[in-house]
Amino acid sequence: MSDRVYIFDTTLRDGEQSPGCSMTVPEKLRMARKLVDLGVDILEAGFPIASEGDFEAVDAVSREYPWAQVAGLARCCTLDVKRAAAALKHARRPRIHTFIATSDIHLKYKLHKSREQALEEAVAAVELARQHVDDVEFSAEDGARTEPDYLEKICKAVVAAGARTVNIPDTVGYSAPREYGALIGRIARALGDCAIVSVHCHDDLGLAVANSIAAVEAGARQIECTINGIGERAGNCSLEEVVMIFKTRPDLYPFHTGIHTEHLFAASEMLSSIITFGPQPNKAIVGRNAFAHEAGIHQDGYLKEKSTYEIIDPRSVGIPEGRLVLGKHSGRHAINQRCKDMGYELTREELDALYHRFTAVADHRKKGLMDEEIAALIDEGRRALGVAAD
Ligand code: MN
């Protein structure tokens, strides 16, 4: 039996608050539709106290998708919690997500509060949020750098006050899988069936996905993540990556999500069209080159049997088919296949002639050759062969 892991999407909140990613309310609504199609479990639509736009976004998403579980963020104070509750008024399944920093470094330099004060404010905010909604999530900001005994104490206290989900973020992307998994395991054991443990990882060391997976193995059942991994600084855990890890390796990870993976590519594309940048070309799952094979040996194997070099069927994430990039590393097999796809039947001689011309051109290129260029080379080769035969 595989366990269900909830996907909490924060593309419209943590993602949106990073440079180059601002979205207007209509843009957030457009993206929200895709996220709903994708099947995310919880949709964090904004931080209502932060701006008028954030309030409107949470309100608009709640009205437009009343069946969706919509979350609004709030610091642990009366004003924030009430503002989040007001923004969520039209949601049928509202979630107030309230947070306070718990690490000594944040308490001392940022909040100027003692551990006891933070705990009291956390409990009070959760109690207040519960007066407005049934579903309250508490986040211990900078949880991964929080002293574990205190972290366990505050988690138990907020659950006793009515929080159903407790999130332990690696706010600064400092933790590593073994360490983070151990911390999450400890909190999951301490809370037992009383609450769902959630994780929220940042990618400053490139470990956001690995940390999230380690946390799920240790007992977490909610992952906070974003499309294309956008978010503060180096970004958040990438939604498409964690989801596809569970789907591709059920032998290692007996977990499943409610994500309809065939919508992943479209969601990534839509986000790229709204914000100022897309994923890097070599980004796992949704990058332009994620299913593009260029090396000759790889292309030869792929053409004989896809599973030699392809671990994910591109159609399962909504990409039409694995692409072969014809460049200087390509071999005769792939070039011949492309010619067939373009409607050419080449003799052995013609293929040889094309192959030599092709590698001569491709050798000076950073990018592969376009189909039209290949067609021109075929004609050139045929003419040369014709001349030689005369
Ligand atoms: Mn964050």
Side-chain angles (χ1 to χ4, degrees):
M1 273 301 283
S2 93
D3 272 15
R4 177 76 150 81
V5 172
Y6 296 99
I7 296 296
F8 177 112
D9 180 275
T10 186
T11 306
L12 303 181
R13 201 279 299 166
D14 201 320
E16 198 262 349
Q17 73 190 42
S18 57
C21 298
S22 294
M23 295 178 221
T24 62
V25 174
E27 285 170 340
K28 277 196 178 184
L29 273 175
R30 208 147 48 91
M31 196 63 218
R33 145 116 292 169
K34 260 284 174 272
L35 295 168
V36 166
D37 288 347
L38 191 60
V40 304
D41 295 292
I42 303 105
L43 224 172
E44 187 166 55
F47 187 2
I49 196 80
S51 71
E52 225 22 75
D54 266 49
F55 182 93
E56 274 176 44
V58 174
D59 180 58
V61 171
S62 303
R63 288 173 196 261
E64 192 87 6
Y65 306 104
W67 63 91
Q69 206 168 347
V70 182
L73 188 66
R75 284 167 301 186
C76 284
C77 61
T78 307
L79 205 64
D80 279 39
V81 171
K82 289 196 162 163
R83 191 81 178 135
L88 290 163
K89 202 171 66 190
H90 296 280
R92 258 180 245 159
R93 295 194 295 156
R95 171 178 293 193
I96 294 178
H97 177 196
T98 186
F99 74 97
I100 193 164
T102 52
S103 66
D104 287 337
I105 200 165
H106 278 230
L107 286 171
K108 182 176 173 193
Y109 296 105
K110 187 180 81 172
L111 297 181
H112 309 293
K113 284 177 181 162
S114 68
R115 288 181 180 178
E116 291 66 35
Q117 255 177 302
L119 190 145
E120 278 170 27
E121 290 176 20
V123 167
V126 169
E127 284 173 346
L128 177 63
R130 277 301 306 267
Q131 288 173 20
H132 295 276
V133 300
D134 286 338
D135 184 2
V136 174
E137 170 171 338
F138 170 77
S139 277
E141 190 192 359
D142 205 19
R145 291 194 300 176
T146 298
E147 195 277 310
D149 288 337
Y150 171 62
L151 184 65
E152 185 175 322
K153 190 174 162 192
I154 195 166
C155 287
K156 284 179 170 165
V158 294
V159 170
R164 284 183 181 178
T165 305
V166 174
N167 183 38
I168 314 294
D170 180 17
T171 304
V172 292
Y174 179 72
S175 208
R178 195 173 352 125
E179 174 191 64
Y180 193 58
L183 180 67
I184 296 299
R186 173 179 174 168
I187 301 300
R189 282 189 297 278
L191 299 181
D193 291 334
C194 299
I196 286 180
V197 175
S198 165
V199 292
H200 175 116
C201 297
H202 278 272
D203 210 31
D204 299 71
L205 290 172
L207 289 171
V209 171
N211 284 338
S212 302
I213 296 286
V216 167
E217 286 190 284
R221 289 297 177 267
Q222 174 178 292
I223 298 176
E224 302 196 359
C225 46
T226 61
I227 300 294
N228 294 350
I230 66 167
E232 286 276 3
R233 303 181 312 280
N236 284 79
C237 171
S238 145
L239 184 152
E240 51 280 359
E241 292 178 25
V242 277
V243 165
M244 290 311 292
I245 288 168
F246 294 143
K247 189 164 176 178
T248 308
R249 297 305 305 272
D251 54 328
L252 288 180
Y253 304 111
F255 307 105
H256 66 279
T257 68
I259 297 295
H260 308 298
T261 62
E262 60 285 1
H263 291 286
L264 284 171
F265 186 64
S268 166
E269 291 272 285
M270 173 167 286
L271 180 65
S272 303
S273 75
I274 292 173
I275 63 173
T276 59
F277 57 91
Q280 78 269 22
N282 62 331
K283 164 84 168 61
I285 317 296
V286 293
R288 190 178 355 111
N289 292 351
F291 297 95
H293 307 274
E294 174 157 343
I297 293 170
H298 289 215
Q299 292 185 339
D300 178 55
Y302 171 82
L303 288 169
K304 286 172 177 155
E305 165 55 45
K306 287 182 182 172
S307 64
T308 52
Y309 286 100
E310 198 157 85
I311 61 159
I312 296 166
D313 180 346
R315 287 168 302 186
S316 71
V317 296
I319 299 175
E321 214 177 326
R323 285 188 313 122
L324 297 184
V325 176
L326 293 186
K328 67 172 179 178
H329 304 108
S330 298
R332 282 178 174 76
H333 189 173
I335 293 173
N336 195 29
Q337 184 60 48
R338 176 63 56 87
C339 291
K340 280 184 185 162
D341 294 344
M342 289 163 61
Y344 290 97
E345 275 300 332
L346 302 187
T347 64
R348 201 179 171 84
E349 265 184 315
E350 286 173 334
L351 180 61
D352 279 342
L354 170 63
Y355 178 71
H356 292 300
R357 283 182 164 72
F358 176 89
T359 46
V361 175
D363 229 2
H364 304 286
R365 290 278 185 90
K366 293 235 188 296
K367 288 181 177 170
L369 271 74
M370 314 285 285
D371 286 357
E372 309 84 81
E373 295 175 291
I374 295 168
L377 291 178
I378 292 172
D379 291 343
E380 205 182 293
R382 281 180 167 169
R383 276 199 304 276
L385 285 170
V387 169
D390 280 340

